[in-house]
Amino acid sequence: METVNTDRALLLATRVSKIYRTGSVEVTALRDLDLLVHRGEMVGVMGPSGSGKTTLLNCLSGLDDIDGGRVEVDGHDLFAMSDAARTEHRAHTMGFVFQAFNLIPVFSAVENVELPLLLVGTRPREARRRALDMLDRVGLGHRVEHRPSEMSGGEQQRVTIARALAGRPAIVWADEPTGNLDSTMAGQVMDLLCELNREGGQTIVLVTHDAGIGARVTRLIRMRDGRLVDDVDQAVTPSAVLPDPPPG
């Protein structure tokens, strides 16, 4: 990696490699990968199927182990920690938004959002307050008592975003967050993520296969065969993707 200014670095990955093994077969998913993400960036990761996008997210967040290299998040070396310490660090500094909503069906929206807060020791009254505030922020203040089955796909994804943000994470990882949504709902979810990044300064790393979604991030990384092959800062306008349908 060339010399860079790391003063504002939130994530610093150096020569990260990941190998999947099945019997005698080895597949290299990440190859000596370097990446620096600053606070407040909205980074999109694109590439063909099998290029390593989801593996990158899982390794940089500490969900998966790595076979070589170093990953620092918020000043902490993830893989120098014990599994328990890494899990605790992840719970306090990271939020996750996945393609599958992963909401608990018998819980209301507010209960789904407050549960991770309760699990890390937040007092129940404070957890409820923060969950309600975040649901209101994502436009669901009127749906807090509804269960997932009573909500649209776009609303459920907004609940997952509220859940990811309620813990005030340093970084949010989003893996194909619009993959299960139609174009209208996908546009609404991206509007929200862009607003949270632009107005709230939330750091977001977003994996997508959709070029329209990729057009809306402020920095776009492309992967191929486990390597970063392009890294571009890009000007973004609100109308860069998913324009309103023509009248009539």
Side-chain angles (χ1 to χ4, degrees), residues 42 97 101 153-161 174 176-179 181-196 204 206 213 216 242:
M42 185 172 187
V97 181
F101 307 135
E155 288 174 329
Q156 290 183 64
Q157 191 61 296
R158 285 172 177 262
V159 175
T160 71
I161 292 170
E176 300 282 5
T178 63
L181 305 177
D182 63 34
S183 60
T184 298
M185 289 184 179
Q188 293 172 356
V189 167
M190 279 304 298
D191 286 344
L192 174 59
L193 290 173
C194 290
E195 177 187 339
L196 292 167
I204 299 171
L206 182 151
I213 299 301
R216 300 198 62 178
L242 301 172

Side-chain angles (χ1 to χ4, degrees), residues 45-54 176 207-209 221-227 229:
V45 182
M46 296 190 68
S49 296
S51 60
K53 302 185 300 297
T54 294
E176 300 282 5
V207 168
T208 184
H209 70 280
I221 289 169
R222 294 187 183 275
M223 295 189 67
R224 187 182 302 276
D225 299 328
R227 294 187 174 95
V229 295

Side-chain angles (χ1 to χ4, degrees), residues 23-150:
S24 61
V25 177
E26 293 189 350
V27 176
T28 301
L30 299 178
R31 303 171 185 268
D32 291 333
L33 185 144
D34 295 333
L35 180 63
L36 175 71
V37 175
H38 288 123
R39 297 180 191 277
E41 285 195 294
M42 185 172 187
V43 181
V45 182
M46 296 190 68
S49 296
S51 60
K53 302 185 300 297
T54 294
T55 299
L56 176 71
L57 185 151
N58 290 343
C59 288
L60 297 188
S61 64
L63 289 173
D64 285 353
D65 287 329
I66 60 176
D67 290 283
R70 179 183 178 93
V71 178
E72 293 183 26
V73 177
D74 206 21
H76 297 272
D77 183 347
L78 291 187
F79 297 100
M81 301 178 181
S82 67
D83 286 345
R86 188 160 66 241
T87 297
E88 183 176 359
H89 181 264
R90 187 164 51 240
H92 285 90
T93 63
M94 303 180 194
F96 292 85
V97 181
F98 296 107
Q99 181 174 343
F101 307 135
N102 295 326
L103 298 174
I104 300 174
V106 298
F107 280 10
S108 66
V110 68
E111 289 169 335
N112 268 284
V113 174
E114 72 182 357
L115 178 61
L117 298 174
L118 296 171
L119 292 176
V120 297
T122 306
R123 293 176 182 240
R125 182 174 295 182
E126 173 66 7
R128 177 57 60 101
R129 183 190 68 78
R130 286 164 61 176
L132 290 171
D133 285 349
M134 191 52 64
L135 284 167
D136 187 59
R137 186 176 178 186
V138 302
L140 291 177
H142 62 301
R143 304 284 275 168
V144 298
E145 297 297 338
H146 288 72
R147 294 181 179 179
S149 62
E150 301 169 320

